Amino acid sequence: MNFFEPIADGIYLLKTPFSIVWSGVVLVRGAENILIDAGADAETVDTRIVPALNALGMQPTDIDWLTVTHCHGDHIGGLPRLKALTGARVAAYDRSAPKLADPRPYSADVRAAFPADSPAVPSGLCSVPADGSIPDGGTLGDLRLIASPGHDDDCVCWYHAPTQTLITGDSVQGNG
């Protein structure tokens, strides 16, 4: 069982399984608690994210905001389940908000570029409309959104000014 690992004051990383690698979920604790990325599916939420929150003495309802680094399935697949468990508001980068509202066509488009090397669109990928969108340079609590297209056109990093920590998602990869 993986648990949230502290990476800076009030910032924790949880490595969730994804294929032969892992995908990160980041918790930022503060006046409002923010969860960045949601794992690949509801099972990841139930078996990894919720127990990891519990190990920190938190309940899902302690999360105030959900957001993502980009709209690939391993980062948004668990978002519907997290939304249901937490009741949290969803904030998204301007370029991500339309994809969250209708992720299946976008996921199919991504796979069309390399069909022989791409798995099927995840069956559990469901709409989770954003409660608000954030432009490049905008803020969510102590986090500043920094657009970082490359891995995909809606990739962002989140900069936590109090600890000078950059949260990257897949924008900076340690694998590949």
Side-chain angles (χ1 to χ4, degrees), residues 51 62 83 87 110 132 138 158 170:
D62 293 328
K83 175 77 172 160
V110 168
W158 292 97
D170 290 355

Side-chain angles (χ1 to χ4, degrees), residues 3-43:
F3 295 102
F4 280 106
E5 304 168 24
I7 58 173
D9 188 28
I11 302 176
Y12 303 84
L13 170 66
L14 173 66
K15 297 176 181 177
T16 61
F18 180 70
S19 183
I20 61 170
V21 292
W22 56 272
S23 183
V25 175
V26 176
L27 170 65
V28 179
R29 295 182 82 169
E32 292 188 299
N33 296 313
I34 302 168
L35 205 60
I36 303 171
D37 289 339
D41 52 32
E43 180 182 355

Side-chain angles (χ1 to χ4, degrees), residues 5 21 29 32 50 54 57 61 80 88 112 116 123 145 157-159 164 166 170 172-173:
E5 304 168 24
V21 292
R29 295 182 82 169
E32 292 188 299
V50 170
N54 294 160
T61 53
S123 61
L145 186 147
C157 294
W158 292 97
Y159 180 69
Q164 298 182 336
L166 186 68
D170 290 355
V172 177
Q173 294 190 16

